[in-house]
Amino acid sequence: MRLDDLDPSKNVRDQGRGGGRSFGGGGGGGGLGLLLSFLPMLLGRKMGCGTILLIGGAALAFMYFSSGGVQLAGDTGAGGFQSESSGTNVACDTEEELFACQVLASTEQTWDSLFRQQGQRYRPTTLTFYDQSGQSGCGAAQAAMGPFYCPADQGVYLDTSFFREMSTRMGAKGDFAQAYVIAHEVGHHIQNLTGVADQVRNAQRRASKAEGNALQVRMELQADCYAGVWAAQNADRMEAGDVEEGLNAAHAIGDDTLMRGAGQQPVESMFTHGSSAQRMAWLRKGMETGDPSSCDTFAAGAV
């Protein structure tokens, strides 16, 4: 995917290793997937991979941002972005981070345009890099969680080592596979802005475990579709093989594929992100239509 001409987004932070201050809690909501070694012990969690119920999330976000945590990055003028709080951690200063920052910039342009077409204003998410461990408005961030979105502070959290895990352990190679990961998490931000995320969380509180998982699957598949919409809106930047890379990545992180890889028999009632076939289908639908309205995974019979 050609993004070299894009300036990296300024809505980035870099916590470095073990960044931020700990106040306990778990990882954020809407994570794209756990590493395979963590899957067996998490299969029974109601909200699924990298997801928690955000009780008191607003209070936790206030604690984090008022406790001296890493601030929004500022331009260093040296090809990266400097953390204003620590003066040491620089975002977008590695090849993987720079690409992620350019993907984020592209999503900002795309969703700003789509929101404007509906007479609305897009409020961008913030991308926070960390190394092995960090802090989010939803609690501790750990590399094993994979990328995730935290509704409490409206931020995406990423340890770029996940890209290497995708390539080496999951067989999901290529720059577009990485872009899909980020665009998926931005998709969760869209759900937060539109109110869908709140509606689903409220419904999950009243639902059984299986019903809650099924609702989460629809959330994740919609985020996949939104990632496809972003790709379609940037078709002029796509290169040969990008579509295949994205679909391969979607297949690699399907619940059934991950469960089999962890030595588990796939059980549909325990799915929290959707099967490989479902994830591929909704990513493809977004790429084929380029229309967010086509991503209604909550419609009767959609999933």
Side-chain angles (χ1 to χ4, degrees):
M1 192 170 197
R2 298 184 301 273
L3 299 172
D4 292 346
D5 61 315
L6 287 181
D7 291 331
S9 171
K10 293 183 182 295
N11 294 309
V12 293
R13 304 184 180 101
D14 196 334
Q15 294 182 352
R17 180 175 289 272
R21 293 182 177 163
S22 175
F23 49 76
L32 203 151
L34 295 175
L35 297 185
L36 299 184
S37 59
F38 279 74
L39 186 64
M41 72 178 185
L42 290 170
L43 289 176
R45 289 176 60 177
K46 181 172 183 178
M47 291 290 284
C49 303
T51 307
I52 64 169
L53 291 174
L54 297 169
I55 300 173
L60 293 179
F62 175 78
M63 289 169 61
Y64 176 69
F65 290 113
S66 63
S67 67
V70 179
Q71 305 294 312
L72 282 173
D75 194 351
T76 64
F81 293 94
Q82 189 81 19
S83 163
E84 294 175 357
S85 62
S86 66
T88 56
N89 298 323
V90 179
C92 314
D93 65 331
T94 68
E95 182 177 354
E96 289 174 328
E97 286 189 2
L98 177 59
F99 180 71
C101 292
Q102 290 171 320
V103 172
L104 184 64
S106 177
T107 66
E108 291 167 351
Q109 293 178 3
T110 298
W111 287 108
D112 181 72
S113 175
L114 290 172
F115 269 55
R116 285 178 183 274
Q117 291 174 24
Q118 299 299 317
Q120 300 174 359
R121 183 174 69 88
Y122 177 64
R123 300 189 304 276
T125 183
T126 298
L127 174 62
T128 297
F129 297 106
Y130 65 94
D131 185 0
Q132 297 302 309
S133 65
Q135 293 297 319
S136 76
C138 299
Q142 300 289 334
M145 295 174 178
F148 66 89
Y149 175 75
C150 172
D153 60 18
Q154 299 189 16
V156 173
Y157 289 80
L158 172 66
D159 182 333
T160 57
S161 66
F162 182 75
F163 293 152
R164 292 187 289 277
E165 292 289 338
M166 286 179 61
S167 178
T168 59
R169 295 185 63 184
M170 301 179 187
K173 301 180 180 180
D175 60 354
F176 188 75
Q178 298 175 10
Y180 156 59
V181 168
I182 298 166
H184 171 97
E185 299 306 333
V186 172
H188 285 304
H189 181 60
I190 303 304
Q191 293 170 325
N192 198 44
L193 294 179
T194 60
V196 169
D198 282 340
Q199 294 172 19
V200 169
R201 281 193 292 272
N202 289 335
Q204 285 174 320
R205 293 186 183 104
R206 302 186 300 269
S208 68
K209 182 176 178 179
E211 291 168 341
N213 286 347
L215 286 168
Q216 190 64 27
V217 165
R218 291 174 186 264
M219 279 275 285
E220 300 298 333
L221 296 179
Q222 186 175 65
D224 281 340
C225 186
Y226 284 157
V229 168
W230 163 75
Q233 294 288 329
N234 292 273
D236 59 329
R237 296 183 177 277
M238 300 281 282
E239 298 177 298
D242 280 349
V243 172
E244 290 75 15
E245 288 176 5
L247 293 174
N248 181 53
H251 180 276
I253 55 179
D255 283 326
D256 52 343
T257 298
L258 289 176
M259 287 180 178
R260 290 191 187 96
Q264 303 287 328
Q265 179 68 30
V267 179
E268 187 173 355
S269 64
M270 298 177 71
F271 287 4
T272 57
H273 286 61
S275 68
S276 292
Q278 288 174 319
R279 302 202 71 167
M280 293 172 67
W282 282 98
L283 176 62
R284 183 185 292 111
K285 187 167 188 175
M287 288 192 291
E288 289 176 349
T289 66
D291 182 2
S293 67
S294 71
C295 299
D296 186 5
T297 57
F298 296 92
V303 175

